[in-house]
Amino acid sequence: MAAIGPRGDGAGEAAPLTLADYARSARARLAPAVWDFLEGGAGEERTLAANTEAFDRYWLRPSVLRGASRPDTATEILGRRWDAPLAVAPVAYHTLAHPAGEAATVRGTAAAAAVPVVISTFASRAVEDLTGRGVPVWLQVYCLRDRAVTRGLVERAERAGVEALVLTVDAPHLGRRLRDVRNGFRLPAGVVPANLTGGDGFADPSVHAREEFDPDLDWTVLAWLRSVSPLPIVVKGVLTGADAVLAIEAGADAVVVSNHGGRQLDGVPATLDVLPEIAEAAAGRVPLLLDGGVRRGRDVLTALALGARAVLVGRPVLHGLAAGGPDGVTGVLRILLDELTDAMSLAGVRALADITPDLLRRSGDR
Ligand SMILES: Cc1cc2nc3c(=O)[nH]c(=O)nc-3n(C[C@H](O)[C@H](O)[C@H](O)COP(=O)(O)O)c2cc1C
Ligand SMILES: CC(C)CC(=O)C(=O)O
């Protein structure tokens, strides 16, 4: 008989073994328009598809007889020990997936591993309810036209114990997400940004972003953010070596190589494909993180071999949340960790420092 799934209703759903299993389970539980909002990308979704496909172009080159039966996945980034080179990417409105929202995500993450959870400017639970619960919490910052509101959010987060700021730089406005346009997507009643005060009008995220996001930011925004907060600043949304250099020169403490999960400019490359260029330009001056399309433990190994220090995972965490609340989040992160440990062990990698480009072979390369 099949194992009982997270629904626990005896429906005979098999226990999830992969992140794809969690995605299927989430899809069955979410309203179609909510699923489309979470899952979709901009335009023809070419970049969205490219993010996952890029990982499939790499093969692993194992080394044998390395005594790697107990690989060490721990790392240190921005002065903090992480149990694994993984973090939860900022995704708006976790209450779309589960009533406890980000509180469930934090709880579920803490049960899996001590790794950071990045909460969105549009988190749907108060930041004070999320910090001090076993995992570092970072705040993703959209710099709004109203700098006083942005500053208020940052100061509130800092008071609550948030450990770093993640400034998103790829969104002067939201990309054109055709699924949402076709669906006439609106946030369900009660799904609101819990840490933003002043006004409503959030229901259509795209219209709200056009009205409220500062669309004319330049690199001086880093100096401004530095002037309002002593927290480390991580710049999220860089896709070229030249921009990585500008970010570092502007004072970034870390950079996230990201195309916003294919939700902004359709037609930009997969993040994995631009990582080598960015790693070369950054030349080890700041840690590089990568997000977009990480769906298996071995994807983490691939990203690290190409120069990332860690990866962020977005949609799969929401799949876990929708499928099983905090336990689902724990399940998703444990699968990734178990797969990573398994891949390291079988590839003869004892610790993250052993991961080099030699570990990879690209399809078609001799
Ligand atoms: C539903 C959804 C909401 C998102 N909200 C935000 C956000 O508020 N701020 C932000 O910087 N990125 C946001 N992102 C982008 C993620 O942080 C991340 O870059 C992307 O999801 C990574 O790709 P993955 O989903 O393939 O792991 C969002 C992504 C999704 C899917
Ligand atoms: C509510 C949106 C501004 C969140 C976002 O960044 C996204 O949907 O990609």
Side-chain angles (χ1 to χ4, degrees), residues 170 236-239 256-261 268 271 274 278 289-292:
D170 60 9
K236 172 174 181 278
V238 167
L239 289 173
V256 186
V257 178
S258 173
N259 54 34
H260 213 111
V268 301
T271 47
V274 296
I278 293 174
L289 313 180
L290 171 138
D291 73 23

Side-chain angles (χ1 to χ4, degrees), residues 12 76 251 262 336:
E76 194 186 304
L336 273 176

Side-chain angles (χ1 to χ4, degrees), residues 318-365:
L318 272 282
H319 298 158
L321 195 55
D327 293 345
V329 172
T330 307
V332 162
L333 294 174
R334 282 212 179 123
I335 286 173
L336 273 176
L337 260 165
D338 288 350
E339 289 177 346
L340 172 63
T341 310
D342 178 62
M344 287 173 72
S345 177
L346 293 174
V349 174
R350 282 169 302 209
L352 302 183
D354 294 347
I355 299 174
T356 67
D358 280 350
L359 188 62
L360 299 180
R361 180 180 197 276
R362 208 177 136 104
S363 280
D365 286 356

Side-chain angles (χ1 to χ4, degrees), residues 33-59:
V34 170
W35 170 258
D36 277 344
F37 172 71
L38 294 178
E39 214 52 24
E44 295 167 9
E45 302 190 338
R46 291 192 63 217
T47 296
L48 174 65
N51 277 348
T52 44
E53 285 163 11
F55 285 97
D56 286 334
R57 281 197 297 276
Y58 286 92
W59 299 96

